[in-house]
Amino acid sequence: MPPGLAFSPSALLSAPEVAALRNHLGPAVRGRGFEDYAVLSTNLVVLASEREQFIGLISPPGFAEQFQACFAGKVTLTLPFPSLAPQPDAQGHFRVGVPTMFVAAPVRSAGGKVLAALGLRVVPEKDFTRILATARAGHSGETYAFDRNGVLLSQSRFEEDLKRVGLLRDSPEVRSLLTLELRDPLVELRPGRSSPKRRLSLV
């Protein structure tokens, strides 16, 4: 049993508290536009979730890092990040790497100590990008969000054009969100020209 894991997955799955939380949170989460929820302990164990296959598992490092501010006692909205667990993509196919994000809040004891984090999963393409779309200007103006490394965190409405000029791989499952890097191509791309500096890979 991993350090800090107080209960086995089978014990968690059969715990009446987990079932009560599912019955209480499930309808409320979906009714407010969230996809599902997860309760993560400070030891990074998934204590509860609508997806039972995750309960009792140790959260992978990339996922847990998104909740550090929450464990420090802050309500947080994570940045979009590629899911390490299979999630449905735009075509309804379950696969890893699907963009996901969470609204998360600390779960405290009566004395105020942070015991866990409750995360409500958001699909970035539905909500995060939609909020940014309200700032569009004119026919082609668009507002983008990107991280400190220049990776796009919102979805572009010009993905077909991006695929046409070779900035995105021409495949139905490929999206600009978490794939496109905001770089100067050093050339006008629309006439069919390509950048003099080639990327190592197009994903």
Side-chain angles (χ1 to χ4, degrees):
M1 182 177 296
L5 183 57
F7 302 100
S8 67
S10 60
L12 286 169
L13 284 167
S14 61
E17 295 84 358
V18 172
L21 188 63
R22 183 185 303 111
N23 292 334
H24 178 73
L25 270 185
V29 164
R30 290 186 294 275
R32 287 167 173 76
F34 297 103
E35 294 299 307
D36 51 49
Y37 69 88
V39 178
L40 194 66
S41 76
T42 55
N43 291 325
L44 310 182
V45 178
V46 180
L47 300 176
S49 173
E50 276 203 300
R51 300 179 65 180
E52 293 186 349
Q53 64 267 39
F54 296 152
I55 295 177
L57 299 180
I58 301 292
S59 180
F63 184 87
E65 290 167 3
Q66 301 288 336
F67 284 82
Q68 290 308 312
C70 194
F71 291 140
K74 300 177 181 178
V75 175
T76 184
L77 174 67
T78 74
L79 294 177
F81 62 97
S83 174
L84 297 177
Q87 302 286 358
D89 62 15
Q91 287 74 42
H93 303 140
F94 279 80
R95 61 182 181 85
V96 298
V98 173
T100 191
M101 61 191 301
F102 281 85
V103 178
V107 179
R108 300 179 183 271
S109 67
K113 182 181 179 181
V114 176
L115 301 177
L118 169 63
L120 306 179
R121 191 168 75 84
V122 177
V123 175
E125 300 97 314
K126 291 182 180 179
D127 295 295
F128 186 58
T129 296
R130 179 177 55 81
I131 292 171
L132 291 174
T134 61
R136 288 175 178 170
H139 177 69
S140 60
E142 190 164 17
T143 301
Y144 297 101
F146 54 94
D147 67 14
R148 67 183 64 186
N149 297 314
V151 176
L152 195 65
L153 299 179
S154 55
Q155 186 170 348
S156 173
R157 55 175 164 156
F158 301 112
E159 288 183 342
E160 291 304 314
D161 297 311
L162 294 169
K163 291 178 181 180
R164 191 173 299 113
V165 299
L167 292 179
L168 289 177
R169 183 163 53 85
D170 192 2
S171 182
E173 73 276 5
V174 174
R175 294 288 182 266
S176 52
L177 174 59
L178 295 181
T179 300
L180 187 66
E181 295 179 357
L182 302 183
R183 298 181 181 180
D184 183 354
L186 304 176
V187 70
E188 173 60 60
L189 295 174
R190 283 183 296 179
R193 302 167 64 188
S194 59
S195 173
K197 291 187 177 181
R198 301 184 62 182
R199 293 180 59 183
L200 294 178
S201 63
L202 291 174
V203 294

